[in-house]
């Protein structure tokens, strides 16, 4: 039964994602108030600060950074693109891979203006905000590909997507808990992506706490595994990671905008043993 349940649960999640709408998703989560660079308590600046610190404190290094479940967003790699000379973006849906290609090809084919994000990360790096054009050029230079991924497969990427030694660093944001039918599947997926990472490589994981659903588009209600900090830590340990740092953001009332029931966001920096 468990095996059958496993297949049906994962297949049901894949079916939910058929209605995912990148433009709506970006509107819901990556515009004010959740992405308000003038507000100290806005969620996106908090995420960018966590990622900036994690990528620049000296222990994260190497050749290849892989972002698991990129979706239609680029903020995850705005700091990492200065540290790694190869960045691989991945997603389950062609509509999201297409959205990312639209930005990469710089022909105005994308649904969000990433300029404020680029400017904000330049400020975190002590650069003048007008250096955002250089950061955009850097990002376009280091992104090597945008490929399919399925974290429920023991091999989430195509075999030829990575060098034999694996990635030096993984980043994954709001993916595993948003695509898994239950906690066991979440933990298994964490193990699957760990196989893409070299021993001693770093995992930077951002995710939702206490969330049971979100809207991936108008009327597209997607179930989420509600996690607490203890479950995140236990899943990391069970999947062969050593936790370096866990940080938690608790949503103020006006960050709850009706697109989900998330109560907090976690940031994890961990190392693969
Ligand atoms: C909540 S979105 C997160 C997007 C982005 N990383 C962010 O930080 O906003 C979850 C993403 O997981 C992708 N996804 C769905 N099923 C997946 C699977 N089985 N394996 C990997 N990614 C999947 C979806 O296409 C979607 O882009
Ligand atoms: O506030 N945010 O920056 C933000 C960004 C993305 C997402 C959330 C919140 C909460 N829901 C998840 C999907 O489970 C997606």
């Amino acid at each position: 039964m468990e095996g059958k349940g496993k297949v049906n649960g994962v297949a049901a999640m894949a079916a939910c994602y058929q209605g995912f709408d990148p433009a709506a998703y970006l509107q819901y989560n990556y515009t004010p108030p959740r992405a308000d660079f003038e507000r100290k308590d806005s969620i996106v600046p908090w995420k960018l600060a966590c990622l900036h610190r994690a990528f620049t404190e000296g222990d994260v290094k190497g050749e290849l950074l892989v972002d698991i479940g990129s979706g239609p967003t680029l903020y995850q790699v705005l700091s990492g693109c200065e540290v790694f000379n190869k960045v691989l973006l991945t997603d389950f849906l062609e509509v999201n891979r297409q959205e990312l290609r639209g930005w990469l090809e710089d022909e105005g084919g994308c649904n969000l203006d990433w300029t404020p994000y680029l400017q904000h990360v330049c400020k975190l790096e002590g650069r003048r905000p007008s250096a955002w054009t250089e950061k955009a050029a850097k990002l376009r230079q280091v992104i090597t590909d945008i490929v399919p991924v399925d974290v429920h497969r023991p091999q989430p990427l195509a075999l030829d997507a990575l060098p034999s030694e694996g990635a030096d660093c993984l980043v994954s944001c709001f993916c595993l808990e948003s695509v898994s039918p239950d906690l066991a599947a979440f933990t298994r997926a964490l193990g699957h992506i760990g196989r893409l990472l070299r021993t001693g490589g770093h995992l930077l994981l951002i995710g939702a706490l206490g969330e049971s659903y979100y809207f991936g588009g108008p009327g597209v209600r997607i179930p989420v595994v509600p996690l607490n900090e203890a479950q995140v830590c236990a899943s990391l340990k069970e999947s062969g990671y050593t936790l370096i740092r866990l940080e938690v953001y608790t949503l103020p009332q006006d960050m709850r905008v009706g697109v989900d029931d998330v109560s907090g966001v976690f940031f994890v920096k961990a190392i693969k043993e």
Side-chain angles (χ1 to χ4, degrees), residues 55 81 111 122 212:
F55 277 116
C81 73
N111 284 292
C122 282
S212 68

Side-chain angles (χ1 to χ4, degrees), residues 25 29-30 34 43-44 47 174 177-178 208 211 214 224 260 262:
Y25 177 77
N29 293 294
Y30 292 98
R34 291 185 165 189
I43 306 177
V44 168
K47 296 196 290 183
F174 296 112
E177 72 280 2
S178 305
E211 184 178 50
Y214 80 103
V224 178
D260 52 44
V262 68

Side-chain angles (χ1 to χ4, degrees), residues 14-161:
C16 288
Y17 274 93
Q18 296 321 302
F20 189 88
D21 174 346
Y25 177 77
L26 289 166
Q27 174 64 32
Y28 297 163
N29 293 294
Y30 292 98
T31 61
R34 291 185 165 189
D36 183 340
F37 298 99
E38 306 309 316
R39 277 187 64 164
K40 290 220 44 69
D41 64 345
S42 184
I43 306 177
V44 168
W46 179 84
K47 296 196 290 183
L48 294 175
C50 289
L51 290 163
H52 166 71
R53 179 184 168 201
F55 277 116
T56 59
E57 57 195 343
D59 52 347
V60 174
K61 58 178 76 67
E63 177 91 359
L64 174 61
L65 168 66
V66 179
D67 177 25
I68 301 293
S70 305
T73 66
L74 287 163
Y75 73 91
Q76 311 86 285
V77 292
L78 297 184
S79 295
C81 73
E82 306 291 349
V83 179
F84 292 89
N85 48 38
K86 286 185 184 149
V87 174
L88 185 63
L89 302 180
T90 75
D91 200 73
F92 184 71
L93 296 175
E94 172 57 20
V95 283
N96 286 328
R97 298 193 297 267
Q98 198 46 45
E99 175 73 20
L100 294 172
R101 281 189 211 104
W103 182 84
L104 210 54
E105 284 147 19
D106 195 9
E107 284 153 13
C110 68
N111 284 292
L112 191 84
D113 176 10
W114 293 99
T115 306
Y117 289 73
L118 290 152
Q119 290 172 330
H120 185 78
V121 178
C122 282
K123 264 171 42 184
L124 294 177
E125 293 168 351
R127 300 159 73 177
R128 63 199 192 292
S130 60
W132 73 269
T133 53
E134 293 155 43
K135 183 175 276 293
K138 176 78 172 172
L139 189 53
R140 289 191 168 102
Q141 177 211 341
V142 300
I143 293 174
T144 54
D145 208 346
I146 303 171
V147 297
V149 66
D150 182 349
V151 297
H152 299 308
R153 293 170 184 263
Q155 288 287 355
L157 297 174
L159 286 176
D160 62 357

